[in-house]
Structure formats: structure tokens, C-alpha cells
Amino acid sequence: MLKTALRNVLAHKARLAMTVLAVCLGVAFVCGTLVFAESSAAAYRAAASKDFADIAVTVTPKSSPPGASDEQPGALDDALVRKLAGLPGVASARPAADGSAVLNGADGRPLRDGRAWANLAGAYVPGKDGKDGRYPLLKGRAPQNGDELAVDSGTAAAGGFALGDTVTLATDGPVMKKRLVGVVSTGDTRVTAGGTLALFDKATAQQLFASPGQYTSVDVSATAGTDQFTLAERVTAVLPADRAEAVTGRAQAARQAVLTDTLTRGYQKMPMVFAGVSLFIGSFLIVNTFTMLVARRTREIALLRAIGATRRQVVRSLLWEAVLIGLVASAAGFLLGLGIASALPGLLSTPHDTLPHGPLVVGPLPVVAAFGVGVGVTVLAAWLPSRKAARVAPVEALRAAGQPPTATASRVRGVAGLVLLVLGGGLLVSLTGAKEASEGNLRNAMAGCALLLVAMIVLAPLLAVPVIRLCGRLTGRFGISGHLATENALRDPRRTAATAAALMVSTALVAGLAVIGNSTGQALDRQAAAGLGADYVISSRTTMTAVDPAAEERVAGIPGVRTAAAVADSTVFTGGGVRAIAGVDPATAGDVMRLDFTSGSLRDLGPGRIAVSAAVAREQGLRAGSEVKARIGRNQELRPYTVVGVYEDNPTAGDVLGARSEVQRDGYLPGSVQRILVRTDAGAVSRSTADRLRAATGNSPLVRVKDRQELVDEAAGSLAGLLTLMYGLLAIGTVISLLGIVNTLAMSVSDRTREIGVLRAVGMDSAGIRRMIRLESVTVAAFGTLLGLAGGLSGAWGVGSLTDGAMKEYALALPWGTLLLVCLVSLTVGALAAALPARRAAALSPLEAVARA
């Protein structure tokens, strides 16, 4: 039986190649993702280990305990550095004064968009040889005073800097301008992964990031043969216990490796989604292939049963075929996966996020997964057809024609499909009007969509007849070729449904994601601009920085600016919860915010008086004139506040409005403002106006200037990953569906050789034969597309109901262009899939075709 299985595999090389390719794609994505994950983790670990390779112990200051005086002198000074350097086993003690700085590029735009974790800054601390071993100089020299700066080579390239250029930067205060005097290299993974590095002289860095004469850390290296833990104990013994602590270099490296791995873990998820979808869709191709193989080999199976083969031997024979195909596909998929793993760092890297490069690390998990998944999916997909083959009696199998499904089998299929349809639809309907997209609701929505999809797969053979009859009204216009194409598609509804299943699943996924993405995108667009009467928003990039309050007056003086209103943002503790409060000036806030008061008014706002949103009012039972206890920002005392008005929920205004002077006084950054809302005269919105606004803030890298459209685009930016996923799924489904239809039509043409010969003998030309095969293929593709669109739209409606409850602006919006593109791609797939089978059918000689047994 093993020899029989091997012979059957090798006897159909074209069919073998297409089935292998379907499994290969899924295995390649799984293997590639796992290798990429292991290689990336290894690259991060290697880089982190390199950073701390010569560091045995790092000394850092402890956080001040509650109640301690902020004026307590620091512990990490030059005296401590000398003491550490004199300890037994210490080779050197290198102090550091590290912090964060955002740089403007040569074009005036901030580098790395102000992400604090990526914008590193520190001190260049030369040793006895005049060099800092952590930052080898590549060009120029080290900074020597407060007017000079050095950067790493990556930052110099990204910013377009050359030696002698003036660089604009900011830490957490006003804008600074420094002259670039040196370019260094570094192995810090935060920098090599796409960050920036700015180096100052020691005194300047201490003043910016610590305090004069103080450091933020001290790195201690050990002499040969000195254990890190032993040295850490010696270092701890000389440290002031309440102000500093020692951590080994290994622990530091492990912490940094975990941090960088966590920051980039999301890159590993999307390829795994592709892998799962490709395997799921590919399984339909495998099931369909083995089902058709069983149907074609009924006589062969009957002869095997007649000469003594048992049912178990027949099952084993077909499963051995699946194992052989799975092994070949897994081996090919594993090799292709290595190529995917090597390409992913380049594909996923951007100018702002550069993934580290390193050698591929192939552990046992990718190998086991490749062959386990490939062989496992293939064997599972072949199991049902093998059971069917085992049940074929020798006498039945010797009949020429296949047996249609019994009425009982059809009824069972219909009942099972309807039950699944009701369960899935019921879950989605139950979520209508849900007020939050909680984990439980989302899980129920996903379960409902999955049940709907399975229901459509189960009901597809029963739905094939009416849907294909409907499609036949169009194909019938092509004459006898169209009529025959329709009848051929209806000849075996189960095979037609199985062939269309792959396209149906991919279409459902893409259509559902497209509708959700389009609806959410439009909602985000409306939400980003909702409540905003201003044309520009000037804001700080991080929560710990602010906009210069004096910039409000400078902005107001720009030609074309009608109103400039500064806003102080903070938090307010009231009613047992934490809310966002915006401190505004009542005289100008109404011109830059679209406030719709249901009671009270903005003009009564002042110290001790606040206005609340409708959501806060409902939650806490407030109305105009109510008294409420609250505290703002860092204030530790609850104070009475009078509610002077209730306004409709407004994302620009936030939860609570207060007097700007009061919020500035009690906020976490006293005296600061976080936003300036700018309204201009008609026609004044332009790039030149934005440049003047940016100049009014001192061109600070910590400040953003965005118009209304940029705010909308920024809000919709989170959908980029969803769009990538959507088109990736469409590509996977298209490729596998193409293979499935080609496979089905090729075997169908082989089965109908004599029939095609008769058609040629009675006068149908080769063009008519090709047209018939193409129309049959397009009909099958149209059937799968229609079912997929129905399932995808139903799932999008169900999942969208969660967003509708959580996002007031959400409304179901169909992306007609994308849906039309999906339909065109699906029909094109059907036409392309028929090319080879149609050419083969048209090339058959009528006499030879009729003469074939």
C-alpha cells in the first residue's frame, strides 16, 4: 500500500505541484515568522550584551523616599567616582549624565517625532587618554563647552548634518542651538534601532540632566578574574544606602533586552496572522484535491478492495499520500520561510523604526513547527476523503458514474448549517447597542463571525444551485458555451462549493476588514475635528513638556490670525475618578472650541467654577448650579467647585473646563500651557502660516503645529496596520484560490475528456470550448465572491456594533471602491485560473477524445 501511495503521488505531478504550493505558502509564513522572532531577539540580546560587555556594575541613585527633602545632596559625584575607582577588582569607573533631547533636522522638522525612549542624550566623559570609550569618534572632536554638540552617525545622516552646522534641539525646556563638532559611533540598541543620540560636554550634561557636579549613573568595569556579584557587594558597601544602589551588568543587559523585545513584539503578530489565514484557506484546496482524487479513483479503490485490501489499508494509503505531500511542502516551505525571515527586517523597518540586523537563528521550534504544521494540516485535510474512500463498496465503486449525496445527507447538512447560522447571527445581534468594546464582547463578536463563516461553508453546496442559476442568466448571454458552463458548475455542487470556499473565506475577511476600517476611519476623521473651531493646534509632544506661555502673544500677532487661545491641560479628581480638565480663558475659548451648552454658559467660568461634559454630568448627577468636591493636578486638598454649565461631549474640550489661571497654578507643570488653539481668517490656512506659527514657538522640536487635516490624518494613522493586513489577506486568498480553481478545472477537464470530444465532434470549435471553461471558472469565482461578501458584511455589521457603542461618531460606511476592487480581483482570478485548463481542453483532438476510455 505504501508503494501504491508513492506511485499515485508521482503519477500526477502537476496536481502535486499545486497542492504542495498551497501548503508551502502557509508553512513558509509560520516558519519565517518564528525564525524572524528568534533572530530579532538574538540580535537585540547581542547588541545589549555588547553595550554592557565591559560593565560589571552600574551605580544609580535611589528615588527619594516619601517625605524626604528634595534639597538632599546627590550621591553620584566625582568623590564617589574616585572612591569606586580605588576599590579592589575595579578596572575603571566611568560616570554618565544621561537624559533625553529632541533634535530638529536640517529641514526644521523634528527627528524621530519626539519619541522619548528613542531621543537619547548624555555627556561625553573623556578618560585619561582624552577619549570616551563608549562613543568612539568617527569625525571631528569631542564637545568642550556649552555651545558644542556631538551626535552619532545615524543621527547625522537622518538629520542631514555636517560638521560645523548649527543644530536646533530641546530637552525639557527652551530651544537651544549648538554647533556640531563631532560624529561618534555607538552600540546602544535604542539608537541602532532608530533612535537619536546627542552628546554634550560633561558640565553641560550635568546641568541639563542631573545637577552641577552630579551624575545620573556610574559604570564600573572589573579586572580580569573578578566576579560581578563579588564586585557588586564591594561597591554596595561604600555607597550611601539611602541614596544609591548597585546593579550588575548582566542584570542591566537582561533588562534592556526585555525592554527592546517588548517594544517590537507587535512586529511578530501580523506575519502570524498571514500564516494562519494561508493555512486555513489552503486546507480547502487540499480537501478538495483529495476529494476529487477519491472520486476519480473509485474503480482503482474497488479493485484494491476486491483483491483483499481492507478499509483500513485504503485509509492508510490515502493518508500516506498526504504525508508524502506534506513532507515535500514542509521542506519547501521551510526554505521559503528562511527567505521571508531574512527579508522581514528590511520590510518592517522604517526611517523612524529600524530593526537590528544579524544572522538568522534557526532553533528547533521553527523546524518542528514547519514539518508539524505542514504534515499535520495535510493529513487532517485528507482524513475526511480517506474515510469516504474506505466506505466505498467494491460493487458501487465499479459503477461509472459518481453517486450524488442522499436526501438525508442534504437535510443533515442543511439543518447543521442553519443551526450554526442562527447561533452566529444570534451572537452578533445580541451585541447590538453594546456600550463598550470589552474583551468579553469582542470575544463574542469573533465567535459569532467564526460561526457565520463555518455556517456558510456548510451551506455552500445547498446555496450553489440558486446562486449559480442566478449567475447563469449572465453567462447564458454567451450562447451554448454559457449554458454549458452553468450546467458544468451545477453538476457537482459539493465540488463547486469546495472550490469556491477558499475565495469565499478570503473575500469575507477582506470585505469585513474593509468595512470596519472604512467606518472607523471616517469616525476618527469626524472625532478628530469634532468640537474644534480652530484651524491650527500647537501642542507639546510629550506629557512632561509644555508650550512656552509667551508664545500665545507672539502667535496672536501673526498676520491672518484671528484668535490664539492657550489651554492648560491637567487632571481633576472628582466623584471617585480621574478626569481630564482643560484650563481656558472664557473670552477666547468659545471662538476656538465648538461648545454646545445644554445648561449654563461659558462666560461664568472662573476660579472655583467649572463646566462639565454631558457624560460627566450624567455619571455624577450634576447640573448647572451643582456643588462638587474636586482637586486639580498636584493639589492635595479637595475644594468645593460650582458647576456653571453642562456642554455636549467634546473631545477638544475634554471632560471638564476650568479657569486657566487655576489649572496653571495647580497643574503638574505649574505656569505652563500644553496647547494653543489658533483660528485664522478665511483663506489663511497655508504652509507659510504653519511655518510662521512654528517660528513663533521658537522652532522647538518639542512642539507640534498641525492643521485640521493633519489632525484627521494622524487619527486615521492607526488604521495603516489594518489596511496592510487587509491587502495581505487578499493576496494570500487570491493566490490559493487561483491554485484551487486551476486544480479543480484541470481534473474536471480530464474527467470530461470524452464529453469535450463529443462537443467538438458535433461542431463546437476550440474557441467555444475555451469560452465554456472560462465561464465555468468565472461562475465558480462569482459564487465564492457573493457568499464571501455576504458573510463579510454581516460580520462587519456585528463587530461594528461594538464600536458604535464605544465611539459616538461611528456609523457603518461601505467602501464601495474597495468592495468593487475585491469583486474585480475575484473575477479576474476566475478568468486566469481557466487559462491552462481551457487551453488543454481546446487542444484535444475530437477523435482521440471520443476514443478514450
Side-chain angles (χ1 to χ4, degrees):
M1 298 303 293
L2 181 58
K3 291 181 180 179
T4 302
L6 183 60
R7 179 185 62 79
N8 287 327
V9 170
L10 297 178
H12 308 284
K13 297 182 178 61
R15 190 161 60 242
L16 169 67
M18 286 185 289
T19 308
V20 165
L21 184 57
V23 183
C24 174
L25 290 175
V27 171
F29 278 106
V30 171
C31 174
T33 302
L34 293 174
V35 173
F36 166 70
E38 290 190 6
S39 301
S40 297
Y44 281 123
R45 286 193 295 268
S49 297
K50 180 179 179 181
D51 288 349
F52 296 94
D54 59 343
I55 297 176
V57 178
T58 297
V59 179
T60 57
K62 281 186 177 181
S63 300
S64 299
S69 173
D70 292 336
E71 299 180 358
Q72 187 178 15
L76 276 60
D77 53 15
D78 288 322
L80 178 64
V81 172
R82 290 191 295 269
K83 185 182 295 185
L84 294 174
L87 289 175
V90 172
S92 65
R94 297 175 308 201
D98 297 329
S100 176
V102 185
L103 288 70
N104 274 347
D107 60 356
R109 303 280 178 171
L111 296 178
R112 310 309 184 206
D113 200 27
R115 294 171 301 168
W117 69 268
N119 304 127
L120 306 184
Y124 187 94
V125 183
K128 296 179 180 179
D129 58 356
K131 300 179 181 179
D132 189 336
R134 291 168 295 188
Y135 309 115
L137 277 167
L138 301 177
K139 298 178 183 177
R141 59 175 176 81
Q144 297 176 352
N145 56 61
D147 295 326
E148 296 178 344
L149 179 76
V151 298
D152 71 287
S153 56
T155 301
F161 301 138
L163 293 179
D165 286 352
T166 298
V167 179
T168 302
L169 71 154
T171 54
D172 58 355
V175 176
M176 299 180 289
K177 294 184 182 295
K178 308 287 184 183
R179 186 166 62 90
L180 184 64
V181 297
V183 176
V184 304
S185 65
T186 179
D188 194 309
T189 53
R190 294 168 295 178
V191 180
T192 57
T196 61
L197 175 65
L199 296 176
F200 306 90
D201 68 287
K202 184 175 70 171
T204 302
Q206 287 177 323
Q207 184 175 2
L208 290 172
F209 307 124
S211 58
Q214 295 292 318
Y215 300 103
T216 58
S217 65
V218 179
D219 295 330
V220 179
S221 59
T223 57
T226 302
D227 180 70
Q228 286 191 2
F229 296 100
T230 301
L231 188 59
E233 292 177 353
R234 296 174 185 171
V235 169
T236 302
V238 300
L239 296 178
D242 58 337
R243 288 185 289 159
E245 61 181 346
V247 181
T248 63
R250 293 173 190 168
Q252 289 280 88
R255 289 178 185 176
Q256 186 167 335
V258 171
L259 172 64
T260 50
D261 182 60
T262 302
L263 290 172
T264 57
R265 190 171 296 164
Y267 288 114
Q268 304 168 17
K269 295 180 180 178
M270 192 173 292
M272 288 302 292
V273 174
F274 291 156
V277 170
S278 60
L279 281 173
F280 181 66
I281 297 177
S283 64
F284 291 102
L285 170 58
I286 303 167
V287 170
N288 200 27
T289 299
F290 276 92
T291 301
M292 296 181 69
L293 282 173
V294 169
R296 295 190 64 191
R297 290 162 52 191
T298 52
R299 288 193 173 186
E300 175 187 328
I301 293 171
L303 290 174
L304 289 173
R305 295 290 307 281
I307 62 176
T310 64
R311 290 185 178 185
R312 186 172 297 177
Q313 286 178 312
V314 171
V315 172
R316 282 204 300 262
S317 174
L318 290 172
L319 291 182
W320 271 116
E321 289 186 38
V323 170
L324 293 174
I325 292 174
L327 288 173
V328 173
S330 298
F334 179 76
L335 295 177
L336 181 60
L338 295 181
I340 292 175
S342 62
L344 277 177
L347 294 175
L348 296 177
S349 294
T350 69
H352 298 295
D353 289 289
T354 304
L355 297 180
H357 293 274
L360 291 181
V361 177
V362 183
L365 181 59
V367 179
V368 172
F371 285 91
V373 168
V375 176
V377 169
T378 309
V379 171
L380 286 175
W383 180 64
L384 287 176
S386 68
R387 288 189 61 198
K388 179 180 177 181
R391 290 197 301 266
V392 176
V395 176
E396 287 184 33
L398 290 173
R399 297 179 184 177
Q403 298 298 315
T406 64
T408 301
S410 297
R411 282 195 297 270
V412 171
R413 177 183 289 271
V415 171
L418 287 176
V419 169
L420 292 171
L421 190 64
V422 170
L423 290 175
L427 270 177
L428 294 180
V429 170
S430 68
L431 296 173
T432 304
K435 296 301 182 183
E436 60 175 354
S438 64
E439 183 178 349
N441 286 338
L442 187 59
R443 187 164 49 245
N444 289 337
M446 294 296 101
C449 291
L451 287 173
L452 277 182
L453 191 59
V454 174
M456 296 186 69
I457 294 173
V458 173
L459 293 173
L462 304 180
L463 297 173
V465 175
V467 174
I468 291 177
R469 289 289 183 200
L470 180 64
C471 296
R473 295 184 180 182
L474 297 176
T475 57
R477 298 187 178 186
F478 291 89
I480 189 62
S481 296
H483 288 295
L484 289 174
T486 301
E487 294 304 319
N488 288 332
L490 290 172
R491 179 178 298 183
D492 189 346
R494 289 178 299 175
R495 185 173 68 184
T496 299
T499 304
L503 195 58
M504 179 186 71
V505 172
S506 61
T507 302
L509 290 172
V510 172
L513 288 175
V515 173
I516 294 173
N518 185 64
S519 303
T520 305
Q522 292 189 16
L524 287 174
D525 291 352
R526 292 188 290 269
Q527 188 181 60
L532 181 64
D535 298 303
Y536 289 94
V537 176
I538 302 173
S539 61
S540 57
R541 292 181 178 272
T542 65
T543 57
M544 297 307 296
T545 58
V547 180
D548 182 7
E552 179 185 17
E553 185 176 348
R554 296 194 295 268
V555 168
I558 295 176
V561 172
R562 180 192 302 180
T563 306
V567 180
D569 291 319
S570 188
T571 56
V572 58
F573 299 83
T574 178
V578 181
R579 298 287 184 173
I581 185 171
V584 299
D585 183 350
T588 57
D591 200 32
V592 294
M593 293 181 180
R594 294 174 180 169
L595 296 169
D596 183 12
F597 275 82
T598 58
S599 63
S601 68
L602 180 66
R603 63 176 176 270
D604 295 325
L605 202 66
R609 299 191 296 272
I610 60 175
V612 298
S613 67
V616 174
R618 285 193 303 269
E619 179 183 315
Q620 301 186 19
L622 302 177
R623 62 180 185 275
S626 297
E627 291 274 339
V628 62
K629 294 279 189 177
R631 59 185 179 90
I632 297 174
R634 59 194 179 93
N635 190 359
Q636 298 299 315
E637 295 181 4
L638 287 172
R639 298 177 180 176
Y641 285 88
T642 302
V643 177
V644 298
V646 177
Y647 55 90
E648 291 291 346
D649 294 346
N650 186 313
T652 303
D655 301 319
V656 181
L657 286 175
R660 193 178 83 190
S661 59
E662 190 170 23
V663 176
Q664 282 181 308
R665 182 193 67 200
D666 296 333
Y668 291 104
L669 297 174
S672 68
V673 297
Q674 282 65 47
R675 291 180 288 165
I676 300 178
L677 306 182
V678 182
R679 187 168 183 179
T680 61
D681 297 328
V685 177
S686 64
R687 183 177 179 85
S688 61
T689 299
D691 290 339
R692 285 195 291 270
L693 292 174
R694 195 171 286 107
T697 64
N699 286 319
S700 173
L702 301 178
V703 174
R704 298 183 299 181
V705 177
K706 292 187 179 293
D707 59 27
R708 293 171 62 88
Q709 186 57 47
E710 287 175 323
L711 290 171
V712 169
D713 294 341
E714 182 180 50
S718 58
L719 296 177
L722 181 62
L723 293 176
T724 301
L725 178 63
M726 181 180 72
Y727 291 115
L729 294 176
L730 178 60
I732 292 173
T734 298
V735 172
I736 298 179
S737 301
L738 181 66
L739 295 174
I741 297 175
V742 169
N743 208 14
T744 300
L745 289 177
M747 286 191 280
S748 179
V749 167
S750 179
D751 290 342
R752 289 150 46 191
T753 298
R754 181 176 291 184
E755 175 188 319
I756 293 172
V758 172
L759 290 174
R760 293 294 307 279
V762 298
M764 181 175 282
D765 57 11
S766 58
I769 296 294
R770 286 195 295 269
R771 189 181 307 115
M772 178 185 70
I773 301 298
R774 289 196 190 100
L775 290 174
E776 179 183 352
S777 178
V778 171
T779 299
V780 173
F783 170 61
T785 302
L786 289 175
L787 287 189
L789 287 175
L793 294 179
S794 300
W797 169 79
V799 175
S801 64
L802 297 180
T803 310
D804 188 16
M807 186 183 297
K808 183 179 179 182
E809 294 80 6
Y810 185 88
L812 197 67
L814 300 182
W816 295 108
T818 302
L819 296 179
L820 178 61
L821 175 64
V822 170
C823 293
L824 291 176
V825 168
S826 299
L827 296 178
T828 302
V829 166
L832 293 176
L836 289 177
R839 182 177 180 181
R840 178 184 174 189
L844 289 173
S845 169
L847 294 178
E848 291 181 3
V850 173
R852 287 187 183 182

